């Protein structure tokens, strides 16, 4: 229930009754539970960005482990003997290295919770300090040049001290000069405005190392949803043949530029939707498949083709436990077992949790 914390005693107005559950709105907080803390942000509760600042960080981690286990059990019908492990963010605030903001009527901010209204901001405690300062400057710039209509801004942090604020005006193709550089392992990844990048600056290395180690090494790797190559550059050194599938044109340009700068010649880039690429554009049967789809997860056709490709291992990174549970449950009957499931807290102060599942073929398990 929004704004409640584990252990709270609340008075509730029931708005919807179902056979096995009911929905309601909190009328009054009668007694605070031990997990309730004072949110540091003055717009918490109104801003749509964070939902859990009133919950102690240790409790947030336990709740995310429970969300992950419950999704596997309820949606996937996959029993887990224990709660999955979760990697905490080294900092529960000041972690975010990239964000999108809305500009409207001379102000900039996020949407209000449950509304299209703008929650104007000059600061945001989950942003990395450099981005937070840049947000204050952007708020001044926008106030000084009130423009009609609304536009979206992206604030991004590259190498330490390298901050970019870009207006994502529709129809404008980003130029290579707009790219920002991120150090990942031994590689430099250049990213254009609008290209996806993992959001928690403090966990980038940990996520990168863990995913690469779960993928391992071998002859042939297929990576679907490759983005600008966050995992692909390192993995291309661990496999003889690599095929990368990505549908976003901007991300594909960045990906090709990143591969070329790293001198990686053993990689084929397929600039198509996974749904189009996987039925008949796969160049070689993969030993391992890496998946990192958007929240919607995998299209049923992609799942069927994946199962038919029959890889030894599927490594699935997901930002949505529900679609991950659904997809894992659909893959298991094709002869796979779930070898591991682990969480990463990329988004403290929100209910979001990133999860990494490794499936292996029963006969190689
Ligand atoms: C969660 S991001 C992961 C990107 C990359 N793995 C990373 O860590 O930066 C998902 C990526 O999938 C791409 N994408 C979305 N739908 C797709 C589809 N149907 N087929 C292929 N790529 C898709 C997006 O453009 C985005 O780059």
């Amino acid at each position: 229930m929004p704004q409640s914390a584990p252990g709270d005693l609340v008075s509730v107005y029931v708005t919807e009754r179902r056979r096995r559950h009911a929905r309601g709105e909190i009328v009054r907080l009668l007694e605070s539970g031990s997990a309730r803390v004072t949110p540091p942000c003055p717009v918490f509760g109104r801003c749509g960005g964070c939902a859990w600042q009133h919950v102690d960080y240790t409790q947030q981690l336990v709740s995310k482990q429970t969300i992950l286990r419950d999704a596997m059990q309820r949606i996937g019908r996959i029993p887990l003997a224990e709660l999955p492990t979760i990697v905490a963010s080294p900092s529960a605030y000041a972690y975010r290295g990239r964000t999108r903001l809305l500009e409207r009527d001379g102000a900039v901010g996020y949407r209000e919770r449950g509304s299209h209204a703008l929650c104007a901001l000059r600061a945001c405690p989950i942003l990395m300090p450099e981005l937070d300062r840049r947000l204050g400057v952007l708020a001044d710039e926008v106030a000084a040049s009130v423009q009609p209509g609304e536009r979206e801004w992206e604030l991004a942090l590259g190498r330490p001290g390298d901050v970019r604020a870009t207006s994502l005006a529709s129809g404008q193709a980003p130029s290579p000069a707009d790219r920002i550089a991120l150090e990942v392992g031994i590689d430099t990844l250049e990213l254009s405005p609008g290209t996806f990048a993992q959001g928690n600056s403090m966990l980038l290395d940990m996520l990168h190392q863990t995913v690469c180690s779960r993928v391992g090494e071998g002859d042939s790797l297929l990576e679907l949803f490759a983005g600008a190559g966050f995992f692909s550059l390192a993995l291309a050194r661990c496999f003889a043949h690599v095929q990368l599938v990505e549908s976003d044109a901007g991300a594909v340009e960045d990906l090709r530029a990143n591969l070329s700068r790293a001198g990686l010649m053993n990689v084929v880039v397929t600039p198509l939707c996974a749904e189009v690429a996987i039925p008949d554009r796969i160049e070689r049967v993969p030993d391992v498949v890496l998946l990192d789809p958007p929240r919607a997860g995998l299209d049923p056709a992609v799942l069927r083709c994946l199962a038919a490709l029959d890889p030894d291992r599927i490594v699935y990174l997901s930002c949505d436990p529900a679609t991950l549970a659904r997809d894992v449950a659909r893959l298991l009957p094709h002869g796979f077992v779930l070898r591991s499931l682990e969480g990463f807290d990329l988004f403290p102060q929100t209910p979001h949790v990133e999860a990494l599942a490794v499936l292996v073929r029963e006969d190689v398990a």
Side-chain angles (χ1 to χ4, degrees):
M1 183 172 292
Q3 303 277 331
S4 64
D8 280 353
L9 187 63
V10 293
S11 139
V12 172
Y13 175 71
V14 176
T15 53
E16 186 187 336
R17 252 179 227 285
R18 291 287 173 98
R19 201 162 57 86
R20 297 177 62 183
H21 72 274
R23 288 181 200 280
E25 284 163 13
I26 295 180
V27 180
R28 207 148 29 99
L29 174 63
L30 302 173
E31 209 176 291
S32 293
S34 58
R36 185 173 276 275
V37 294
T38 304
C41 179
V43 292
F44 176 71
R46 188 157 62 83
C47 176
C50 292
W52 279 11
Q53 283 191 16
H54 63 300
V55 181
D56 166 69
Y57 187 53
T58 308
Q59 177 60 52
Q60 288 186 26
L61 293 172
V62 176
S63 297
K64 291 184 188 196
Q65 291 175 285
T66 311
I67 287 171
L68 207 46
R69 183 200 56 196
D70 289 356
M72 281 292 158
Q73 294 190 168
R74 286 199 199 136
I75 298 167
R77 306 261 171 242
I78 304 164
L80 299 180
E82 290 169 3
L83 279 182
T85 58
I86 188 162
V87 177
S89 177
S91 163
Y93 285 94
Y95 64 82
R96 205 172 165 135
R98 178 170 282 245
T99 193
R100 285 196 184 181
L101 297 144
L102 187 66
E103 174 192 341
R104 188 190 290 158
D105 301 331
V108 71
Y110 299 119
R111 288 189 200 281
E112 290 191 356
R113 186 180 291 186
S115 141
H116 288 292
L118 182 77
C119 179
L121 299 170
R122 299 192 49 79
C124 168
I126 64 168
L127 296 184
M128 290 287 281
E130 298 93 320
L131 279 199
D132 194 32
R133 283 193 290 276
R134 187 64 184 87
L135 169 55
V137 174
L138 180 63
D140 288 339
E141 291 167 352
V142 162
S145 66
V146 181
Q147 306 245 2
E150 54 176 52
R151 62 196 53 72
E152 204 177 12
W153 285 87
E154 183 183 78
L155 297 188
L157 179 65
R159 292 192 178 99
D162 187 8
V163 176
R164 183 189 62 200
T166 327
S167 164
L168 300 177
S170 54
Q172 271 179 24
S175 92
D178 293 329
R179 287 187 181 134
I180 201 161
L182 209 61
E183 308 286 347
V184 187
I186 61 164
D187 291 300
T188 301
L189 201 71
E190 294 205 350
L191 297 159
S192 297
T195 297
F196 176 90
Q198 302 290 347
N200 187 324
S201 294
M202 321 279 281
L203 276 180
L204 285 184
D205 285 336
M206 166 61 107
L207 183 69
H208 183 260
Q209 280 164 21
T210 311
V211 169
C212 291
S213 87
R214 301 295 177 260
V215 171
E217 50 187 38
D219 179 59
S220 171
L221 170 73
L222 170 64
E223 184 186 350
L224 304 183
F225 315 97
F230 181 71
F231 302 114
S232 328
L233 303 190
L235 291 173
R237 298 191 188 90
C238 301
F239 286 80
H241 308 277
V242 175
Q243 183 169 4
L244 307 176
V245 176
E246 166 60 47
S247 62
D248 178 74
V252 168
E253 267 194 47
D254 290 353
L255 176 61
R256 288 194 163 125
N258 288 325
L259 289 165
S260 148
R261 201 174 326 95
L264 295 162
M265 312 294 282
N266 57 331
V267 181
V268 174
V269 175
T270 307
L272 292 173
C273 283
E275 301 77 5
V276 176
I278 195 167
D280 55 14
R281 298 289 295 273
I282 300 306
E283 307 233 329
R284 195 178 268 271
V285 174
D287 305 326
V288 186
V289 177
L290 171 61
L291 307 163
D292 183 9
R295 302 187 69 77
L298 301 178
D299 182 273
V302 171
L303 275 164
R304 277 194 301 278
C305 294
L306 254 186
L309 282 173
D310 208 22
D312 290 343
R313 192 155 9 116
I314 298 176
V315 179
Y316 189 149
L317 182 65
S318 161
C319 53
D320 187 305
T323 56
L324 175 70
R326 178 201 67 196
D327 293 346
V328 168
R330 287 177 178 168
L331 284 165
L332 293 183
H334 294 276
F336 293 97
V337 290
L338 178 63
R339 173 175 280 176
S340 62
L341 175 69
E342 50 205 319
F344 296 85
D345 191 17
L346 298 190
F347 299 107
Q349 317 310 330
T350 80
H352 299 293
V353 55
E354 195 82 5
L356 183 65
V358 178
L359 286 83
V360 290
R361 287 208 59 79
E362 260 159 349
D363 47 352
V364 292

